[in-house]
Coordinates of all heavy atoms in Angstrom, one line a residue:
M1 N -21.2 -99.9 84.7 CA -20.2 -100.4 83.8 C -18.8 -99.9 84.2 O -17.9 -100.6 84.3 CB -20.5 -100.0 82.4 CG -21.5 -100.9 81.7 SD -21.7 -100.4 80.0 CE -22.6 -98.9 80.2
L2 N -18.8 -98.6 84.5 CA -17.5 -98.0 84.8 C -17.1 -98.4 86.2 O -15.9 -98.5 86.5 CB -17.6 -96.4 84.7 CG -17.6 -95.9 83.3 CD1 -17.8 -94.4 83.4 CD2 -16.4 -96.3 82.5
N3 N -18.0 -98.7 87.1 CA -17.7 -99.2 88.4 C -17.0 -100.6 88.3 O -16.0 -100.8 89.0 CB -18.9 -99.4 89.3 CG -19.4 -98.0 89.8 OD1 -18.7 -97.0 89.8 ND2 -20.7 -98.0 90.1
E4 N -17.5 -101.4 87.4 CA -16.8 -102.7 87.2 C -15.4 -102.5 86.7 O -14.5 -103.2 87.1 CB -17.7 -103.5 86.2 CG -17.0 -104.8 85.8 CD -17.4 -106.0 86.7 OE1 -18.3 -105.8 87.5 OE2 -16.8 -107.1 86.5
F5 N -15.3 -101.6 85.7 CA -13.9 -101.3 85.2 C -13.0 -100.8 86.2 O -11.9 -101.2 86.3 CB -14.1 -100.4 84.0 CG -12.8 -100.1 83.3 CD1 -12.2 -101.1 82.5 CD2 -12.2 -98.9 83.4 CE1 -11.0 -100.9 81.9 CE2 -11.0 -98.7 82.7 CZ -10.4 -99.7 81.9
Q6 N -13.5 -99.9 87.1 CA -12.7 -99.3 88.1 C -12.3 -100.4 89.1 O -11.1 -100.4 89.6 CB -13.5 -98.2 88.9 CG -12.7 -97.5 89.9 CD -13.5 -96.3 90.5 OE1 -14.7 -96.2 90.3 NE2 -12.8 -95.4 91.2
E7 N -13.2 -101.3 89.5 CA -12.8 -102.4 90.4 C -11.7 -103.2 89.7 O -10.7 -103.6 90.5 CB -14.0 -103.3 90.6 CG -15.0 -102.6 91.6 CD -16.3 -103.5 91.7 OE1 -16.2 -104.7 91.6 OE2 -17.3 -102.9 92.0
K8 N -11.8 -103.5 88.5 CA -10.7 -104.3 87.8 C -9.4 -103.5 87.8 O -8.3 -104.1 87.9 CB -11.2 -104.7 86.4 CG -12.3 -105.7 86.4 CD -12.6 -106.1 85.0 CE -13.7 -107.1 85.0 NZ -13.2 -108.5 85.0
L9 N -9.5 -102.2 87.6 CA -8.2 -101.4 87.7 C -7.6 -101.5 89.1 O -6.4 -101.7 89.2 CB -8.5 -99.9 87.3 CG -8.8 -99.6 85.9 CD1 -9.3 -98.2 85.7 CD2 -7.5 -99.8 85.1
R10 N -8.4 -101.3 90.1 CA -7.9 -101.3 91.4 C -7.3 -102.7 91.8 O -6.3 -102.7 92.6 CB -9.0 -100.9 92.4 CG -9.4 -99.5 92.4 CD -10.5 -99.1 93.3 NE -11.0 -97.8 93.0 CZ -10.8 -96.7 93.7 NH1 -10.0 -96.7 94.7 NH2 -11.3 -95.6 93.3
S11 N -7.9 -103.7 91.4 CA -7.4 -105.1 91.7 C -6.2 -105.5 90.8 O -5.6 -106.5 91.1 CB -8.6 -106.1 91.5 OG -8.9 -106.3 90.2
G12 N -6.0 -104.7 89.8 CA -4.9 -105.0 88.9 C -5.2 -106.1 87.8 O -4.3 -106.6 87.1
T13 N -6.5 -106.4 87.7 CA -6.9 -107.3 86.7 C -6.7 -106.8 85.3 O -6.3 -107.5 84.4 CB -8.4 -107.7 86.8 OG1 -8.7 -108.1 88.2 CG2 -8.9 -108.7 85.8
V14 N -6.9 -105.5 85.1 CA -6.6 -104.8 83.8 C -5.6 -103.7 84.1 O -5.6 -103.1 85.2 CB -7.9 -104.3 83.1 CG1 -8.8 -105.4 82.7 CG2 -8.6 -103.3 84.0
L15 N -4.8 -103.4 83.2 CA -3.8 -102.3 83.3 C -3.0 -102.4 84.6 O -3.0 -101.4 85.4 CB -4.4 -101.0 83.1 CG -5.2 -100.8 81.8 CD1 -5.9 -99.4 81.8 CD2 -4.2 -100.8 80.6
A16 N -2.5 -103.5 84.9 CA -1.8 -103.8 86.2 C -0.5 -102.9 86.3 O -0.2 -102.5 87.4 CB -1.4 -105.2 86.3
D17 N 0.1 -102.5 85.2 CA 1.3 -101.7 85.3 C 1.0 -100.2 85.1 O 0.1 -99.9 84.3 CB 2.2 -102.2 84.1 CG 3.5 -101.5 84.2 OD1 4.3 -101.7 85.1 OD2 3.8 -100.7 83.2
F18 N 1.6 -99.4 85.9 CA 1.3 -98.0 85.9 C 1.6 -97.4 84.5 O 0.8 -96.5 84.0 CB 2.1 -97.3 87.0 CG 1.8 -95.8 87.1 CD1 0.5 -95.3 87.1 CD2 2.9 -94.9 87.4 CE1 0.3 -94.0 87.3 CE2 2.6 -93.6 87.5 CZ 1.3 -93.1 87.5
D19 N 2.7 -97.8 83.9 CA 3.0 -97.3 82.5 C 1.9 -97.7 81.5 O 1.6 -96.9 80.6 CB 4.3 -97.8 82.1 CG 5.5 -97.1 82.8 OD1 5.3 -96.0 83.2 OD2 6.5 -97.8 82.9
E20 N 1.3 -98.9 81.6 CA 0.2 -99.3 80.8 C -1.0 -98.4 81.0 O -1.6 -98.0 80.0 CB -0.2 -100.7 81.1 CG 0.9 -101.8 80.7 CD 0.5 -103.2 81.1 OE1 -0.4 -103.3 82.0 OE2 1.2 -104.1 80.7
M21 N -1.3 -98.1 82.2 CA -2.4 -97.2 82.5 C -2.2 -95.8 81.9 O -3.1 -95.3 81.3 CB -2.6 -97.1 84.0 CG -3.9 -96.4 84.4 SD -4.1 -96.2 86.2 CE -4.3 -97.9 86.7
K22 N -1.0 -95.3 82.0 CA -0.7 -94.0 81.5 C -0.8 -94.0 79.9 O -1.4 -93.1 79.3 CB 0.7 -93.5 81.9 CG 0.8 -93.2 83.4 CD 2.1 -92.5 83.7 CE 3.3 -93.4 83.5 NZ 4.5 -92.8 84.1
K23 N -0.3 -95.1 79.3 CA -0.4 -95.2 77.9 C -1.9 -95.3 77.4 O -2.3 -94.6 76.5 CB 0.3 -96.4 77.4 CG 0.4 -96.5 75.9 CD 1.0 -97.8 75.4 CE 2.5 -97.8 75.6 NZ 3.1 -99.1 75.0
F24 N -2.7 -96.1 78.1 CA -4.1 -96.2 77.8 C -4.8 -94.9 77.9 O -5.6 -94.5 77.1 CB -4.7 -97.3 78.7 CG -6.1 -97.6 78.3 CD1 -6.5 -98.2 77.1 CD2 -7.1 -97.2 79.2 CE1 -7.8 -98.4 76.8 CE2 -8.5 -97.5 78.9 CZ -8.8 -98.0 77.7
G25 N -4.6 -94.2 79.0 CA -5.2 -92.9 79.2 C -4.9 -91.9 78.1 O -5.8 -91.2 77.7
S26 N -3.7 -91.9 77.7 CA -3.3 -91.0 76.6 C -3.9 -91.4 75.2 O -4.2 -90.6 74.4 CB -1.8 -90.9 76.4 OG -1.2 -92.1 76.0
I27 N -4.2 -92.7 75.1 CA -4.9 -93.2 73.9 C -6.4 -92.7 73.9 O -6.9 -92.3 72.8 CB -4.8 -94.7 73.8 CG1 -3.4 -95.1 73.5 CG2 -5.8 -95.3 72.7 CD1 -3.2 -96.6 73.5
I28 N -7.0 -92.8 75.0 CA -8.5 -92.5 75.0 C -8.8 -91.1 75.1 O -9.9 -90.6 74.7 CB -9.2 -93.3 76.1 CG1 -8.8 -92.9 77.5 CG2 -9.1 -94.8 75.9 CD1 -9.7 -93.4 78.6
S29 N -7.9 -90.2 75.6 CA -8.1 -88.8 75.7 C -6.9 -88.0 75.7 O -5.9 -88.3 76.5 CB -8.9 -88.5 77.0 OG -9.1 -87.1 77.2
K30 N -6.8 -87.0 74.9 CA -5.7 -86.1 74.8 C -5.6 -85.3 76.1 O -4.6 -84.8 76.5 CB -5.8 -85.2 73.6 CG -5.8 -86.0 72.3 CD -4.8 -85.4 71.3 CE -4.9 -86.1 70.0 NZ -4.3 -87.4 69.9
A31 N -6.8 -85.1 76.8 CA -6.8 -84.3 78.0 C -6.4 -85.1 79.2 O -6.3 -84.5 80.3 CB -8.2 -83.8 78.2
F32 N -6.1 -86.4 79.1 CA -5.8 -87.2 80.2 C -4.4 -86.8 80.8 O -3.4 -86.7 80.0 CB -5.7 -88.7 79.8 CG -5.2 -89.6 80.9 CD1 -6.0 -89.9 82.0 CD2 -3.9 -90.1 80.8 CE1 -5.5 -90.8 83.0 CE2 -3.4 -91.0 81.8 CZ -4.2 -91.3 82.9
V33 N -4.4 -86.6 82.1 CA -3.1 -86.3 82.8 C -2.9 -87.3 83.9 O -3.6 -87.3 84.8 CB -3.2 -84.8 83.3 CG1 -1.9 -84.5 84.1 CG2 -3.4 -83.8 82.3
P34 N -1.9 -88.1 83.7 CA -1.6 -89.1 84.8 C -1.2 -88.4 86.1 O -0.5 -87.3 86.1 CB -0.5 -90.0 84.2 CG 0.1 -89.2 83.1 CD -0.9 -88.2 82.6
R35 N -1.5 -89.0 87.2 CA -1.1 -88.5 88.5 C 0.2 -89.1 89.0 O 0.8 -89.8 88.2 CB -2.2 -88.7 89.5 CG -3.6 -88.2 89.1 CD -3.6 -86.7 88.7 NE -4.9 -86.1 88.6 CZ -5.5 -86.0 87.5 NH1 -5.1 -86.4 86.3 NH2 -6.7 -85.4 87.5
K36 N 0.6 -88.9 90.2 CA 1.9 -89.3 90.7 C 1.9 -90.8 90.9 O 3.0 -91.4 90.9 CB 2.2 -88.6 92.0 CG 2.4 -87.2 91.9 CD 2.7 -86.5 93.2 CE 3.0 -85.0 93.1 NZ 3.2 -84.4 94.3
S37 N 0.8 -91.4 91.2 CA 0.7 -92.9 91.5 C -0.4 -93.5 90.7 O -1.3 -92.9 90.2 CB 0.6 -93.1 93.0 OG -0.8 -92.8 93.4
R38 N -0.3 -94.9 90.6 CA -1.4 -95.6 90.0 C -2.7 -95.4 90.7 O -3.7 -95.2 90.0 CB -1.0 -97.1 90.0 CG -1.8 -98.0 89.2 CD -1.3 -99.4 89.3 NE -2.1 -100.3 88.4 CZ -3.4 -100.6 88.7 NH1 -3.9 -100.3 89.8 NH2 -4.0 -101.4 87.8
K39 N -2.7 -95.4 92.0 CA -3.9 -95.2 92.8 C -4.6 -93.9 92.5 O -5.8 -93.8 92.4 CB -3.6 -95.4 94.3 CG -4.8 -95.2 95.2 CD -4.3 -95.4 96.6 CE -5.5 -95.2 97.6 NZ -5.1 -95.4 99.0
E40 N -3.8 -92.8 92.4 CA -4.3 -91.5 92.1 C -4.7 -91.3 90.6 O -5.5 -90.5 90.3 CB -3.2 -90.4 92.4 CG -2.9 -90.3 93.9 CD -1.7 -89.4 94.2 OE1 -1.1 -88.9 93.2 OE2 -1.4 -89.2 95.4
T41 N -4.2 -92.2 89.8 CA -4.5 -92.1 88.3 C -5.8 -92.7 88.0 O -6.5 -92.3 87.0 CB -3.3 -92.7 87.5 OG1 -2.1 -91.9 87.8 CG2 -3.6 -92.6 86.0
I42 N -6.2 -93.7 88.8 CA -7.5 -94.5 88.4 C -8.7 -93.5 88.3 O -9.4 -93.6 87.3 CB -7.7 -95.6 89.4 CG1 -6.6 -96.7 89.2 CG2 -9.1 -96.2 89.3 CD1 -6.6 -97.8 90.2
P43 N -8.9 -92.6 89.3 CA -10.1 -91.7 89.1 C -10.0 -90.8 87.9 O -11.0 -90.5 87.3 CB -10.1 -90.9 90.4 CG -9.3 -91.7 91.4 CD -8.3 -92.5 90.6
A44 N -8.8 -90.4 87.6 CA -8.6 -89.6 86.4 C -9.0 -90.3 85.1 O -9.6 -89.8 84.2 CB -7.2 -89.0 86.3
L45 N -8.6 -91.6 85.1 CA -8.9 -92.5 83.9 C -10.4 -92.7 83.8 O -10.9 -92.6 82.7 CB -8.1 -93.8 84.0 CG -8.2 -94.7 82.9 CD1 -7.6 -94.1 81.6 CD2 -7.4 -96.0 83.2
I46 N -11.0 -93.0 84.9 CA -12.4 -93.2 84.9 C -13.2 -92.0 84.5 O -14.2 -92.0 83.8 CB -12.9 -93.7 86.3 CG1 -12.3 -95.1 86.6 CG2 -14.4 -93.7 86.4 CD1 -12.7 -96.2 85.7
A47 N -12.7 -90.8 85.0 CA -13.3 -89.5 84.6 C -13.3 -89.3 83.1 O -14.2 -88.9 82.5 CB -12.7 -88.4 85.3
C48 N -12.1 -89.7 82.5 CA -12.0 -89.5 81.0 C -13.0 -90.5 80.3 O -13.6 -90.1 79.3 CB -10.6 -89.8 80.6 SG -9.4 -88.5 80.9
M49 N -13.1 -91.7 80.8 CA -14.0 -92.6 80.2 C -15.5 -92.2 80.4 O -16.3 -92.4 79.5 CB -13.8 -94.0 80.8 CG -12.5 -94.6 80.4 SD -12.2 -96.3 81.0 CE -13.3 -97.2 79.9
A50 N -15.8 -91.6 81.5 CA -17.2 -91.2 81.8 C -17.6 -90.1 80.9 O -18.8 -89.9 80.6 CB -17.3 -90.7 83.3
E51 N -16.7 -89.3 80.3 CA -17.0 -88.2 79.4 C -17.4 -88.7 78.0 O -18.0 -88.0 77.2 CB -15.9 -87.2 79.3 CG -15.6 -86.5 80.6 CD -14.4 -85.6 80.5 OE1 -13.7 -85.6 79.5 OE2 -14.1 -84.9 81.6
R52 N -17.0 -90.0 77.7 CA -17.2 -90.5 76.4 C -18.7 -91.1 76.3 O -19.2 -91.6 77.2 CB -16.3 -91.7 76.2 CG -14.8 -91.4 76.3 CD -14.3 -90.4 75.3 NE -14.3 -90.8 74.0 CZ -13.2 -91.3 73.4 NH1 -12.1 -91.4 74.0 NH2 -13.3 -91.7 72.1
P53 N -19.2 -91.0 75.1 CA -20.6 -91.6 74.8 C -20.5 -93.1 75.0 O -19.5 -93.7 74.8 CB -20.9 -91.2 73.4 CG -20.0 -90.1 73.1 CD -18.8 -90.2 73.9
F54 N -21.6 -93.7 75.4 CA -21.7 -95.1 75.6 C -21.2 -95.9 74.4 O -20.5 -96.9 74.6 CB -23.1 -95.5 75.9 CG -23.3 -97.0 76.2 CD1 -22.9 -97.5 77.4 CD2 -23.8 -97.8 75.2 CE1 -23.1 -98.9 77.6 CE2 -23.9 -99.2 75.4 CZ -23.6 -99.7 76.6
V55 N -21.5 -95.4 73.2 CA -21.1 -96.2 72.0 C -19.6 -96.2 71.8 O -19.0 -97.1 71.2 CB -21.8 -95.7 70.7 CG1 -23.3 -95.9 70.8 CG2 -21.5 -94.2 70.5
D56 N -18.9 -95.2 72.4 CA -17.4 -95.1 72.3 C -16.8 -96.1 73.2 O -15.6 -96.5 73.0 CB -16.9 -93.8 72.6 CG -17.2 -92.7 71.5 OD1 -17.6 -93.1 70.4 OD2 -16.9 -91.6 71.8
L57 N -17.5 -96.6 74.2 CA -16.9 -97.6 75.2 C -16.4 -98.8 74.5 O -15.3 -99.4 74.9 CB -17.8 -97.9 76.3 CG -18.1 -96.7 77.3 CD1 -19.1 -97.2 78.3 CD2 -16.8 -96.2 77.9
S58 N -17.1 -99.3 73.5 CA -16.6 -100.5 72.8 C -15.3 -100.3 72.1 O -14.4 -101.1 72.1 CB -17.6 -101.0 71.8 OG -17.8 -100.1 70.8
E59 N -15.1 -99.1 71.5 CA -13.8 -98.7 70.9 C -12.7 -98.6 72.0 O -11.6 -99.0 71.8 CB -14.0 -97.4 70.2 CG -12.7 -96.9 69.5 CD -12.9 -95.6 68.8 OE1 -14.0 -95.1 68.6 OE2 -11.8 -95.0 68.5
I60 N -13.1 -98.0 73.1 CA -12.1 -97.9 74.2 C -11.6 -99.2 74.7 O -10.4 -99.5 74.8 CB -12.7 -97.1 75.4 CG1 -12.9 -95.6 74.9 CG2 -11.8 -97.2 76.6 CD1 -13.7 -94.8 75.9
I61 N -12.6 -100.2 74.8 CA -12.2 -101.5 75.3 C -11.4 -102.2 74.2 O -10.5 -102.9 74.5 CB -13.5 -102.3 75.7 CG1 -14.2 -101.6 76.9 CG2 -13.1 -103.7 76.0 CD1 -13.3 -101.4 78.1
G62 N -11.7 -102.0 73.0 CA -10.9 -102.5 71.9 C -9.5 -102.0 71.9 O -8.5 -102.8 71.7
K63 N -9.3 -100.8 72.2 CA -8.0 -100.2 72.4 C -7.2 -100.9 73.5 O -6.1 -101.1 73.5 CB -8.0 -98.7 72.5 CG -8.4 -98.0 71.2 CD -8.4 -96.5 71.4 CE -8.8 -95.8 70.1 NZ -8.9 -94.4 70.3
L64 N -8.0 -101.1 74.6 CA -7.4 -101.8 75.8 C -6.9 -103.2 75.4 O -5.8 -103.6 75.7 CB -8.4 -101.8 76.9 CG -7.9 -102.6 78.2 CD1 -6.7 -101.9 78.8 CD2 -9.0 -102.7 79.2
S65 N -7.7 -103.9 74.7 CA -7.4 -105.2 74.2 C -6.1 -105.2 73.4 O -5.2 -106.1 73.6 CB -8.5 -105.9 73.5 OG -9.6 -106.0 74.3
S66 N -6.0 -104.3 72.5 CA -4.9 -104.3 71.6 C -3.6 -103.9 72.4 O -2.5 -104.3 72.1 CB -5.1 -103.4 70.4 OG -5.2 -102.0 70.8
L67 N -3.8 -103.0 73.3 CA -2.6 -102.5 74.1 C -2.1 -103.7 75.0 O -0.9 -103.9 75.1 CB -3.1 -101.4 75.0 CG -2.1 -100.8 76.0 CD1 -0.9 -100.1 75.2 CD2 -2.7 -99.8 76.9
E68 N -3.0 -104.4 75.6 CA -2.6 -105.5 76.5 C -2.2 -106.7 75.8 O -1.3 -107.4 76.2 CB -3.8 -105.8 77.4 CG -4.1 -104.8 78.4 CD -3.0 -104.6 79.5 OE1 -2.5 -105.6 80.0 OE2 -2.7 -103.5 79.8
G69 N -2.9 -107.1 74.7 CA -2.5 -108.3 74.0 C -2.8 -109.5 74.8 O -2.0 -110.5 74.7
S70 N -3.8 -109.5 75.6 CA -4.0 -110.6 76.5 C -4.6 -111.8 75.8 O -5.5 -111.7 74.9 CB -5.0 -110.2 77.6 OG -5.5 -111.3 78.4
A71 N -4.1 -113.0 76.2 CA -4.7 -114.2 75.6 C -5.6 -114.9 76.5 O -6.1 -116.0 76.2 CB -3.5 -115.2 75.2
D72 N -5.8 -114.4 77.7 CA -6.7 -115.1 78.7 C -8.2 -114.9 78.6 O -8.9 -115.4 79.3 CB -6.2 -114.8 80.1 CG -6.4 -113.4 80.6 OD1 -7.0 -112.6 79.8 OD2 -6.1 -113.1 81.7
G73 N -8.6 -114.0 77.7 CA -10.0 -113.7 77.5 C -10.6 -112.7 78.5 O -11.8 -112.4 78.4
G74 N -9.9 -112.3 79.4 CA -10.4 -111.3 80.4 C -10.9 -110.0 79.8 O -11.9 -109.5 80.3
Y75 N -10.2 -109.6 78.8 CA -10.5 -108.3 78.2 C -11.8 -108.5 77.3 O -12.6 -107.6 77.2 CB -9.4 -107.7 77.4 CG -8.2 -107.5 78.3 CD1 -7.1 -108.4 78.3 CD2 -8.2 -106.5 79.3 CE1 -6.0 -108.2 79.1 CE2 -7.2 -106.4 80.2 CZ -6.1 -107.2 80.1 OH -5.0 -107.0 80.9
Q76 N -11.9 -109.7 76.7 CA -13.1 -110.0 76.0 C -14.3 -110.0 76.9 O -15.3 -109.4 76.5 CB -12.9 -111.3 75.2 CG -14.1 -111.7 74.4 CD -14.4 -110.7 73.3 OE1 -13.4 -110.1 72.7 NE2 -15.6 -110.4 72.9
E77 N -14.2 -110.6 78.1 CA -15.3 -110.6 79.0 C -15.6 -109.1 79.4 O -16.8 -108.8 79.5 CB -14.9 -111.3 80.3 CG -14.8 -112.8 80.1 CD -14.5 -113.6 81.3 OE1 -14.7 -113.0 82.4 OE2 -14.0 -114.7 81.2
L78 N -14.6 -108.3 79.6 CA -14.9 -106.9 80.0 C -15.6 -106.2 78.9 O -16.6 -105.4 79.1 CB -13.6 -106.2 80.4 CG -13.7 -104.8 80.8 CD1 -14.6 -104.6 82.0 CD2 -12.3 -104.2 81.0
A79 N -15.2 -106.4 77.7 CA -15.8 -105.8 76.5 C -17.3 -106.2 76.4 O -18.1 -105.4 76.1 CB -15.0 -106.1 75.2
E80 N -17.5 -107.5 76.5 CA -18.9 -108.0 76.5 C -19.7 -107.4 77.6 O -20.9 -107.0 77.4 CB -18.9 -109.5 76.6 CG -18.4 -110.2 75.3 CD -18.4 -111.7 75.5 OE1 -19.2 -112.3 76.3 OE2 -17.6 -112.3 74.8
F81 N -19.2 -107.3 78.8 CA -19.9 -106.7 79.9 C -20.3 -105.2 79.6 O -21.4 -104.8 79.8 CB -19.1 -106.7 81.2 CG -19.8 -106.1 82.3 CD1 -20.8 -106.7 83.0 CD2 -19.4 -104.8 82.7 CE1 -21.4 -106.0 84.0 CE2 -20.0 -104.1 83.7 CZ -21.0 -104.8 84.4
I82 N -19.3 -104.5 79.0 CA -19.6 -103.1 78.7 C -20.6 -102.9 77.6 O -21.5 -102.1 77.7 CB -18.3 -102.3 78.4 CG1 -17.5 -102.2 79.8 CG2 -18.6 -101.0 77.8 CD1 -16.2 -101.5 79.6
L83 N -20.5 -103.8 76.6 CA -21.4 -103.7 75.5 C -22.8 -104.2 75.8 O -23.8 -103.6 75.3 CB -20.8 -104.5 74.3 CG -19.6 -103.9 73.7 CD1 -19.0 -104.8 72.6 CD2 -19.9 -102.5 73.1
K84 N -22.9 -105.3 76.5 CA -24.2 -105.9 76.7 C -24.8 -105.5 78.1 O -26.0 -105.8 78.3 CB -24.1 -107.4 76.6 CG -23.7 -107.8 75.2 CD -23.5 -109.3 75.1 CE -23.0 -109.7 73.7 NZ -22.7 -111.1 73.7
G85 N -24.0 -105.0 79.0 CA -24.5 -104.6 80.3 C -24.8 -105.7 81.2 O -25.5 -105.6 82.2
K86 N -24.2 -106.9 80.9 CA -24.3 -108.1 81.9 C -23.1 -108.9 81.8 O -22.3 -108.8 80.9 CB -25.5 -108.9 81.4 CG -25.4 -109.5 80.0 CD -26.6 -110.3 79.7 CE -26.5 -110.8 78.2 NZ -27.7 -111.5 77.8
R87 N -22.9 -109.6 82.9 CA -21.7 -110.5 83.0 C -21.8 -111.7 82.1 O -22.9 -112.3 82.0 CB -21.5 -110.9 84.5 CG -21.3 -109.8 85.4 CD -21.2 -110.4 86.8 NE -21.1 -109.4 87.8 CZ -20.0 -108.8 88.3 NH1 -18.9 -109.3 87.8 NH2 -20.1 -107.9 89.2
P88 N -20.7 -112.1 81.5 CA -20.7 -113.3 80.7 C -21.0 -114.5 81.6 O -20.6 -114.5 82.7 CB -19.3 -113.4 80.1 CG -18.6 -112.2 80.5 CD -19.4 -111.5 81.5
Q89 N -21.6 -115.5 81.0 CA -21.9 -116.7 81.8 C -20.9 -117.8 81.6 O -20.2 -117.9 80.8 CB -23.3 -117.2 81.4 CG -24.4 -116.2 81.7 CD -25.7 -116.7 81.2 OE1 -25.9 -117.8 80.7 NE2 -26.7 -115.9 81.5

C-alpha cells in the first residue's frame, strides 16, 4: 500500500506541490520534518505513514483528500486501494 502511495508521490499524482507535501506531513505527524527538496521529503513522509497503524491510514487519506480538494476522484481511488488492498476496477 505504501509503495503505491510512494509511486504516486514521486510521479506527482498526489501532493504535486512541495508545500502541500510539507503541510500534509505536519498534519499526519508532529514528528515530521521536511527535508530540503520534494525528492528528499518523500521517504520521510512514507516513514511517518509506516509508523501508523493500518486503521489510521483511512484517516490519513481522508486528510489528504480534504487538503487537496480534488474533484477528479484520484484520491478516492487511493483511499479505496489503501482500505481494501486492491485497485478499483
